[in-house]
Amino acid sequence: VLLTNAINLDDIERAARRQLPRAVFDVIQGGAEDETTVAANRAGFDRFVLRPRPLVDVSQRSLRTTVLGEQIALPVMLAPTGASRIAHRHAELPVARAACAADTIYVQSTVTAYPFEDVARAASRPLWFQLYLPPDRRDVDPLLHRVAAAGYSALVVTIDTPVFGNRERDRRSDILATRVRVPVLMQGLQRPRWAVDYMRGQIGARMPTGGRAKPMSQTSTRKTVLASTFGVTWSDLEHLRERWDGPLVVKGLMRADEARRLIDVGVDGIVVSNHGGRQLDGVAGTIDVLRPIVDAVANDAEVFLDGGIRRGTDVLKALGLGARAVLIGRPYLYGLAAGGEAGVARVLAILRDELDRAMALTGVCDIDDVAHDIVGSRAPADILR
Ligand SMILES: Cc1cc2nc3c(=O)[nH]c(=O)nc-3n(C[C@H](O)[C@H](O)[C@H](O)COP(=O)(O)O)c2cc1C
């Protein structure tokens, strides 16, 4: 499947699979251990059904909304991913550009190929910054200064990564090893377009601002990852709230009974997320826990969701269950691998089109105003109601 023929996100995934060496594709697609949580994220959406409202004039529709005070053209944002370098030599830059062109927000990961100031400069609107805490807590305040100075408008603190998840596909291929192993090298030779792109990326890319940015190799990305102490505690969070003036978002909550405490610390947003099933295996699908968390938060913060969003109807279900917006991870990395900036743009355009059609068919005119009753559970009693 070529990018131009792709009509849904599964097609884009297939295009990426063709483009990438197996082990590289596995880094993106894989999850922790038996990948039951990866599957649960998808299966969860099937437990909910849409309940179309009939006889509504849907000739005028709006997908525009706001997240923490910022306008976005559709309720889909790009989640932080630390692996764009292996999908495309320009890594975060085309992702940032495609997000801005679609008028939505890219949450930039701490783990980047380019210095994050360069990524911010490639963007025509403020990005959000996802934070993994540096191992030495004295480095936190200077880092926050840099992030604010670079123009990032919100800080997203990931709380589900005190240690790295057990991703067995990556351990088997040993892809994070310092030196590329022979089997991975052989796979690379079967994907010459990818191999050439990757090698060119090692040389350094011209920045939009002139000058040259030196992309980090996979090795130094690995160093960044391994050198970070990802564990965030309540006291870290309180410290961050004190030092960060803008909106503060926590990413990785999966239980409703901890939501109030986050509100008390002063967070403005919560991303219901299990890291795309890449951290703790055996966790519920995100859509399964969304409603209880939304109820606990009770409008005192905005609630977002990621994990398994592959269709416009998934977005609509999440919004019906109370999410303000959703984020996608793997799909845009597949787009990036298959077609660079155009590939990421394509992913957003497909989701936008599907969501717009789903709204019309469900009787929803304004995405900012999705009634809770458009979603039901698949339990037969509910469907018959
Ligand atoms: C290759 C890859 C790298 C990721 N890196 C990060 C990261 O650096 N920080 C983070 O908070 N989440 C990271 N995530 C998790 C995503 O932000 C997001 O939670 C997840 O991908 C959503 O699920 P989806 O891929 O099914 O859309 C990563 C996900 C993938 C697939």
Side-chain angles (χ1 to χ4, degrees), residues 85 198-205 212-215:
R85 173 76 182 88
Y198 187 79
M199 294 314 291
R200 285 179 66 193
Q202 297 292 77
I203 297 162
R212 271 174 186 276
K214 193 177 173 304

Side-chain angles (χ1 to χ4, degrees), residues 171-334:
R171 286 175 61 194
R172 249 181 253 289
S173 68
D174 207 9
I175 192 158
L176 293 178
T178 315
R179 255 191 241 132
V180 178
R181 308 270 165 206
V182 173
V184 174
L185 203 65
M186 296 305 289
Q187 292 169 16
L189 294 177
Q190 290 165 11
R191 293 286 190 273
R193 266 180 58 195
W194 176 87
V196 168
D197 181 81
Y198 187 79
M199 294 314 291
R200 285 179 66 193
Q202 297 292 77
I203 297 162
R206 188 173 289 283
M207 294 303 297
T209 46
R212 271 174 186 276
K214 193 177 173 304
M216 297 194 291
S217 68
Q218 196 49 33
T219 318
S220 46
T221 301
R222 175 174 171 273
K223 270 193 223 138
T224 315
V225 171
L226 297 182
S228 298
T229 310
F230 294 157
V232 183
T233 62
W234 285 106
S235 71
D236 289 319
L237 197 63
E238 281 157 15
H239 179 86
L240 292 170
R241 178 64 292 181
E242 233 168 68
R243 297 302 163 97
W244 177 260
D245 293 332
L248 181 66
V249 179
V250 157
K251 174 174 179 280
L253 184 71
M254 287 296 291
R255 24 190 306 180
D257 56 357
E258 299 278 337
R260 290 313 308 177
R261 193 165 168 198
L262 289 172
I263 307 287
D264 293 342
V265 172
V267 308
D268 305 287
I270 293 173
V271 185
V272 175
S273 172
N274 52 33
H275 216 107
R278 300 162 70 81
Q279 284 298 107
L280 179 63
D281 194 30
V283 184
T286 49
I287 196 78
D288 292 314
V289 299
L290 175 61
R291 190 59 161 271
I293 292 177
V294 166
D295 289 344
V297 166
N299 287 321
D300 292 324
E302 292 186 3
V303 178
F304 311 106
L305 172 135
D306 74 19
I309 297 276
R310 300 295 181 268
R311 287 284 187 188
T313 48
D314 299 335
V315 182
L316 197 54
K317 286 177 184 176
L319 267 58
L321 291 166
R324 183 90 207 145
V326 301
L327 301 91
I328 53 171
R330 293 178 184 86
Y332 80 78
L333 288 176
Y334 296 142

